[in-house]
Amino acid sequence: MSKKKFSLTAFLCRFYVYILLLIMYAPIILLIVYSFTDTKIIGNWNGFTFRLYESLFHDSEIMQAFKNTFAVAISSAIVSTLLGTLGAIGIFYSKRKAKAVMEGISNIPVMNAEIVTALSLTILFVSIGAAFNFTTLLIGHVVLTIPFVVLSVRPKLMQMDPNIYEAALDLGATPKKALWSVIVPEILPGVFSGFILSITLSLDDYIITAFTRNTAYQTLSTYVYGVTSKRGTLPPSLRALTTVITLIALAILIIVNIKSGEKENK
Amino acid sequence: MRKNKSIFSRKFLAVPYAVFMILFVVIPLMLIIAYAFTDESGRITLDNFRAFFSGGHNINTLMFSIFIGFLNTAICLVLGYPAAFILAKKEFGFGTATVLLFVMPMWINFVLRTAATRDLLFAIGISGGEYPYLATMIGMVYNYLPFVILPLYTTMTKMDKSLIEASYDLGANKVQTFFKTILPMTMPGVISAATMVFMPTMSSYVISDVMGERKISLIGNSIQLYFDQGLWHIGSLVALIMLAIIAIGSFCADSEPQENARGGLW
């Protein structure tokens, strides 16, 4: 009796998770389904066609926005990962007071509302008379992502055996060599997750982009925001775009899953 | 002697990071404070305060934003807590892959995702034009639920299960065990989830714009509006008020942003 009751609870629990996932994915699924018909309004099925995909790949504005989005994401992730990793190592070996101050500053962009960060950067650029261009946008995205690199690398530094660096020095390695061949390999997983996280946050961002970009420079989020606030519903070709992005994300998810499965098996 | 030299060199790796953070995080925040207390001619004044607090419109917006922030945090926690709990319990057979499924919408651009949610709601008859509040709240929950599930899941997997068993052994029933053992143990996750949701909810203007068809104004909308009109000084004042709220919030939560908050899965 009690066993049967338990399995009902288990069923309900699983059901809850699946229902939640279904609701979460409903908008995306709807767009994917309707990306294969060229109706203007979702709800009217116009027959199966790939025409939206054709128009997507021929839409130079969207394609440019797509490229721009990745250009910002990858370049800001590289800068953040380099500066942030060095920063995390440096902070880790700083004296207590300097460490506390630097960690406090690192937390500011994480805790802060994105719009406050965006406004503060804009005011800085305006007050020094800088022109808004790719550099200002890049700086905005680095500010957004760099604390997360530091936060990803720090736990790896703490887990590291402090003696191996000393051992490398005792064995005659220069500090630079010891850093490169001892510390860096130890923290590499943290560096990698910081990099991926930076790309994720940058791809997803709208507010910082909107404030720090040159208005002629469209990323996907500014483009979508522009067209959706003008017209009622999403332009049809963006449904095809959603499908493409979802497929990319799904592919990454599967790869990450296989990779982590391999790691666990080892 | 050698040891001192090596520590010296490692510490200085943080210099580029520190310079970057001072230039683009600390100085911009100081500028916000300076701008909030000055007028166009650079004179120190409290006029911005008077302009902001007169008429009551801005105060209403602020109060309403705080209310929406709390409401969304509460809904996300109520929906997300059981989900995270079920995901973390081994007997239900959900793994990291399912958790990643909850997070994956984050890889589809935030604006695109929100517009997709709006199209879905439109298709089922909840248009933002007719039901701006309902549509906005649904959009908020859609967007922030993953931010709740992730930190909660991470805390729950680290939970000490023997304490729960001990609670049952000592005669506590399920409700008592939940409130006396499980909830206190998962409190760090709850706090970190709440900080990931509350501030972004009240400060983001994108969801309220897209979902509520510009019928709803949150405090983020005010900043954006002042930004569009080039009213830097009063915009800075609003940003300063938000900074104060963040400071109070983080003082109450008394917790650092956790590494697991956004990227614990990689």
Side-chain angles (χ1 to χ4, degrees), chain A:
Chain A
M1 183 65 205
S2 75
K3 204 175 178 192
K4 201 177 176 193
K5 197 178 158 205
F6 175 71
S7 70
L8 180 69
T9 334
F11 170 77
L12 285 177
C13 285
R14 283 201 194 94
F15 186 71
Y16 178 70
V17 169
Y18 288 129
I19 283 288
L20 211 56
L21 270 176
L22 185 68
I23 296 171
M24 293 277 291
Y25 277 89
I28 299 162
I29 294 168
L30 185 79
L31 289 198
I32 292 176
V33 169
Y34 277 92
S35 72
F36 296 107
T37 186
D38 60 356
T39 175
K40 277 217 169 62
I41 301 156
I42 286 177
N44 294 350
W45 185 261
N46 243 1
F48 186 89
T49 172
F50 282 115
R51 202 176 302 157
L52 290 184
Y53 290 86
E54 271 168 48
S55 64
L56 171 71
F57 292 115
H58 289 118
D59 190 322
S60 58
E61 217 181 337
I62 296 181
M63 285 295 115
Q64 189 59 48
F66 199 73
K67 277 181 217 155
N68 289 348
T69 306
F70 277 93
V72 185
I74 289 170
S75 44
S76 66
I78 290 172
V79 175
S80 282
T81 308
L82 282 175
L83 272 183
T85 305
L86 290 177
I89 299 173
I91 293 171
F92 188 71
Y93 292 110
S94 293
K95 293 217 176 70
R96 193 189 286 167
K97 221 175 188 180
K99 196 174 182 173
V101 171
M102 299 267 272
E103 281 178 352
I105 294 174
S106 303
N107 282 341
I108 294 175
V110 184
M111 303 296 286
N112 204 349
E114 219 176 293
I115 193 161
V116 177
T117 307
L119 184 80
S120 71
L121 276 172
T122 312
I123 287 179
L124 174 76
F125 297 144
V126 167
S127 56
I128 60 171
F132 286 88
N133 52 28
F134 187 78
T135 312
T136 52
L137 179 62
L138 184 68
I139 290 171
H141 279 239
V142 173
V143 170
L144 173 75
T145 56
I146 203 167
F148 292 96
V149 175
V150 175
L151 285 176
S152 309
V153 173
R154 192 168 64 186
K156 300 289 166 205
L157 284 164
M158 296 196 303
Q159 288 162 15
M160 195 176 64
D161 181 352
N163 296 322
I164 51 171
Y165 178 80
E166 300 297 329
L169 293 184
D170 288 342
L171 292 172
T174 60
K176 225 187 229 166
K177 175 95 172 96
L179 178 79
W180 187 247
S181 49
V182 175
I183 296 183
V184 170
E186 285 283 315
I187 60 173
L188 213 53
V191 176
F192 180 71
S193 58
F195 181 77
I196 299 288
L197 197 53
S198 295
I199 288 190
T200 312
L201 292 172
S202 169
L203 288 179
D204 203 42
D205 176 72
Y206 170 75
I207 296 177
I208 292 202
T209 313
F211 275 67
T212 56
R213 74 187 169 130
N214 181 307
T215 43
Y217 194 86
Q218 294 277 18
T219 65
L220 277 181
S221 47
T222 61
Y223 174 79
V224 175
Y225 189 78
V227 289
T228 48
S229 58
K230 263 180 250 153
R231 291 177 237 173
T233 49
L234 270 180
S237 54
L238 286 179
R239 301 201 292 259
L241 181 70
T242 309
T243 311
V244 173
I245 297 177
T246 310
L247 283 178
I248 296 173
L250 205 60
I252 295 173
L253 178 72
I254 292 168
I255 292 167
V256 168
N257 229 345
I258 292 171
K259 278 262 158 96
S260 61
E262 276 171 9
K263 237 187 268 168
E264 272 161 34
N265 287 338
K266 276 176 196 168

Side-chain angles (χ1 to χ4, degrees), chain B residues 56-91:
Chain B
H57 171 75
N58 286 318
I59 300 179
N60 286 345
T61 309
L62 184 63
M63 288 304 156
F64 180 66
S65 307
I66 293 174
F67 169 71
I68 292 278
F70 274 120
L71 185 62
N72 188 37
T73 310
I75 297 174
C76 286
L77 281 175
V78 167
L79 288 175
Y81 194 96
F85 192 79
I86 296 164
L87 289 170
K89 256 196 160 176
K90 283 216 173 68
E91 62 199 69

Side-chain angles (χ1 to χ4, degrees), chain B residues 13-258:
Chain B
L13 289 173
V15 168
Y17 174 75
V19 170
F20 182 88
M21 294 303 273
I22 289 167
L23 278 179
F24 298 114
V25 175
V26 178
I27 291 178
L29 283 185
M30 301 218 173
L31 281 174
I32 288 257
I33 299 169
Y35 267 61
F37 289 100
T38 51
D39 63 11
E40 306 283 313
S41 59
R43 204 166 43 90
I44 294 175
T45 173
L46 292 175
D47 282 355
N48 300 319
F49 280 84
R50 253 171 250 137
F52 180 81
F53 287 107
S54 66
H57 171 75
N58 286 318
I59 300 179
N60 286 345
T61 309
L62 184 63
M63 288 304 156
F64 180 66
S65 307
I66 293 174
F67 169 71
I68 292 278
F70 274 120
L71 185 62
N72 188 37
T73 310
I75 297 174
C76 286
L77 281 175
V78 167
L79 288 175
Y81 194 96
F85 192 79
I86 296 164
L87 289 170
K89 256 196 160 176
K90 283 216 173 68
E91 62 199 69
F92 295 119
F94 291 111
T96 328
T98 326
V99 183
L100 274 174
L101 269 181
F102 274 102
V103 183
M104 205 186 74
M106 279 156 82
W107 294 341
I108 298 163
N109 184 277
F110 156 58
V111 187
L112 192 56
R113 211 167 54 210
T114 306
T117 311
R118 186 182 67 173
D119 280 6
L120 171 78
L121 292 186
F122 191 80
I124 61 169
I126 307 173
S127 84
E130 281 175 76
Y131 307 99
Y133 294 97
L134 180 63
T136 303
M137 274 326 292
I138 294 175
M140 295 280 189
V141 175
Y142 257 97
N143 196 59
Y144 291 108
L145 195 56
F147 290 98
V148 166
I149 291 181
L150 203 50
L152 283 175
Y153 173 79
T154 319
T155 346
M156 282 166 185
T157 47
K158 288 178 191 154
M159 201 161 54
D160 187 353
K161 310 245 167 11
S162 58
L163 284 177
I164 302 170
E165 280 162 29
S167 166
Y168 285 130
D169 288 345
L170 292 171
N173 61 28
K174 283 198 167 173
V175 178
Q176 287 168 325
T177 304
F178 176 76
F179 283 105
K180 300 247 155 122
T181 326
I182 299 174
L183 194 59
M185 273 199 285
T186 51
M187 218 48 206
V190 173
I191 289 169
S192 123
T195 45
M196 298 306 288
V197 176
F198 177 72
M199 206 55 215
T201 303
M202 63 172 284
S203 64
S204 160
Y205 59 93
V206 178
I207 298 177
S208 52
D209 260 9
V210 173
M211 301 300 293
E213 304 199 352
R214 304 196 174 221
K215 285 185 178 152
I216 288 180
S217 186
L218 296 181
I219 197 73
N221 297 71
S222 313
I223 296 189
Q224 198 258 343
L225 218 64
Y226 290 129
F227 166 78
D228 273 355
Q229 298 167 345
L231 298 169
W232 308 109
H233 295 270
I234 184 152
S236 296
L237 176 76
V238 185
L240 188 64
I241 291 170
M242 289 178 69
L243 276 172
I245 296 172
I246 297 164
I248 295 166
S250 54
F251 182 75
C252 293
D254 192 33
S255 75
E256 285 191 7
Q258 300 181 0

